[in-house]
Amino acid sequence: MKLSIHETIRGKAEPGSVDLGHHWMNIEATWAEVFELITVDGVASSAELKTDWRTNSQFVSRELIMIDIDEDMDLTELLQHPFYNAYGAGFYVTPSFTPEHHKFRICFRLAKPETDGNRLRLIVRALLGIFPGDIACKDPVRLFYGTPNCAIKEFKDEVYLDADVVETLVNITRAFDKETADRMASVSAEHTPLSDKQKQKVLDLLKSTFVGSYPIWRNIAWGLKAGGFGLADFQYVTTGMMNSKTAEDAKTVWTNGTVGGGVTMGSVIHFIKEKHGQECLFEKRKAKTEYGFETDYRKLSRSIRSQE
């Protein structure tokens, strides 16, 4: 297994106490050795990198995927979960774990290292549809802190996600994205004019909603453009919707794209309401940041299990 580790980070680093972007070192080791580094020595780990700089531009490959669980699942549920029992390579608790509040990381090994960052995002997003994990895990070079001398953990040496399962995960996520984009294009409902306050709320809600899908992101551009919003507005929401896209990428889509495809401002509002609730533009509420719709999470999970 190839990955990078940061030897000076043992356990969770305090903000500003260490450079999280540099001084990473590539290693090659067995899964057993890597699991010991993470759960005994407590070192931080990430993807295999071209240099010691941890950024998406330096991504080479990833074989170890981890899903952070901070809520909505406990260890009893994990150990009874059919997908984890079939494909999970183990778990370990984080230092903030308590008997009342279970916090842990689920480990998955790929049979073959993934070298395509975009495909890796699709795999991770599918896993986030099966487990209620932290959506920040989607980044190809995401770092994961270790837990020194971890007392509660499970190691499975011969378990991994084989090529067929990985392809299923990729295809399910792509199908989900297409269904969502098509649904946006089919909904061109009229909407009442938005107040300045509602317009800002539209932008803030979009920014809080990670999508990670080019067709959906592009449709948002078309809809905002049709609704009279500007390039700066689309660049603002892009920072939250597509962490792999830059302001220049947003400008290219906005400038070269043509409003059309059945996408209107009404489509965007429908999309927002599906994500955040029918009253989201009219009452103060905490915006959800999960990717996808709850019902689609359940469908995705069932689809995976049906193909075991």
Side-chain angles (χ1 to χ4, degrees):
M1 174 182 290
K2 293 181 179 180
L3 71 162
S4 63
I5 62 171
H6 201 302
E7 290 191 300
T8 62
I9 304 176
R10 305 293 174 116
K12 187 170 183 177
E14 292 297 324
S17 64
V18 67
D19 185 353
L20 300 178
H22 296 87
H23 311 302
W24 289 83
M25 177 178 68
N26 283 339
I27 65 168
E28 185 170 4
T30 66
W31 169 223
E33 291 168 337
V34 170
F35 194 75
E36 182 169 336
L37 282 170
I38 294 170
T39 64
V40 178
D41 298 336
V43 301
S45 64
S46 185
E48 179 188 9
L49 304 169
K50 296 176 185 176
T51 67
D52 71 343
W53 182 28
R54 188 183 62 85
T55 183
N56 284 327
S57 65
Q58 302 302 303
F59 171 78
V60 175
S61 71
R62 187 149 209 155
E63 187 175 344
L64 175 61
I65 295 174
M66 287 192 265
I67 303 296
D68 252 335
I69 304 294
D70 287 335
E71 56 186 354
D72 297 328
M73 174 177 267
D74 60 31
L75 289 178
T76 299
E77 293 172 309
L78 175 68
L79 294 173
Q80 295 173 349
H81 199 289
F83 192 91
Y84 173 75
N85 287 326
Y87 302 112
F91 76 86
Y92 68 96
V93 301
T94 64
S96 54
F97 173 92
T98 66
E100 297 76 28
H101 193 178
H102 290 194
K103 293 190 175 185
F104 54 94
R105 293 191 179 96
I106 310 171
C107 304
F108 293 97
R109 291 169 57 204
L110 301 181
K112 179 182 177 182
E114 182 56 64
T115 59
D116 184 326
N118 290 326
R119 269 180 56 91
L120 183 62
R121 288 187 178 91
L122 297 177
I123 297 165
V124 173
R125 284 172 49 210
L127 292 173
L128 289 170
I130 300 170
F131 298 94
D134 182 354
I135 63 168
C137 295
K138 64 192 177 297
D139 187 9
V141 296
R142 168 76 174 178
L143 75 86
F144 292 93
Y145 296 115
T147 301
N149 300 314
C150 182
I152 304 175
K153 57 189 176 183
E154 179 177 45
F155 170 76
K156 295 194 282 183
D157 194 24
E158 301 299 326
V159 183
Y160 52 84
L161 295 170
D162 63 35
D164 289 341
V165 174
V166 168
E167 202 59 34
T168 297
L169 293 170
V170 169
N171 290 336
I172 285 175
T173 310
R174 283 175 173 162
F176 176 82
D177 287 349
K178 184 178 185 303
E179 179 184 343
T180 303
D182 290 348
R183 185 163 56 237
M184 285 186 67
S186 68
V187 178
S188 57
E190 294 295 328
H191 66 90
T192 58
L194 299 173
S195 66
D196 289 343
K197 186 175 181 180
Q198 288 173 332
K199 288 179 180 178
Q200 186 58 51
K201 196 156 191 179
V202 163
L203 297 177
D204 291 341
L205 287 172
L206 286 174
K207 184 179 180 181
S208 75
T209 308
F210 173 75
V211 297
S213 163
Y214 179 86
I216 300 173
W217 176 61
R218 176 207 60 207
N219 283 1
I220 294 294
W222 286 350
L224 290 177
K225 203 169 186 179
F229 287 82
L231 170 59
D233 297 321
F234 182 52
Q235 290 173 322
Y236 171 74
V237 302
T238 290
T239 59
M241 298 183 73
M242 296 284 286
N243 67 342
S244 63
K245 299 298 184 182
T246 65
E248 193 61 31
D249 294 327
K251 182 178 179 180
T252 298
V253 169
W254 185 271
T255 303
N256 298 337
T258 301
V259 176
V263 182
T264 66
M265 191 61 211
S267 307
V268 174
I269 291 174
H270 180 78
F271 171 82
I272 292 171
K273 287 182 176 180
E274 280 197 304
K275 297 280 189 178
H276 301 280
Q278 292 300 309
E279 303 300 317
C280 62
L281 296 179
F282 304 98
E283 64 178 25
K284 188 174 181 179
R285 61 194 294 160
K286 183 179 179 181
K288 294 181 182 178
T289 56
E290 295 88 347
Y291 176 81
F293 314 116
E294 183 182 353
T295 54
D296 288 306
Y297 273 159
R298 291 198 291 268
K299 285 194 296 184
L300 189 151
S301 184
R302 287 199 301 272
S303 297
I304 288 290
R305 289 200 292 270
S306 70
Q307 297 182 50
E308 293 176 0

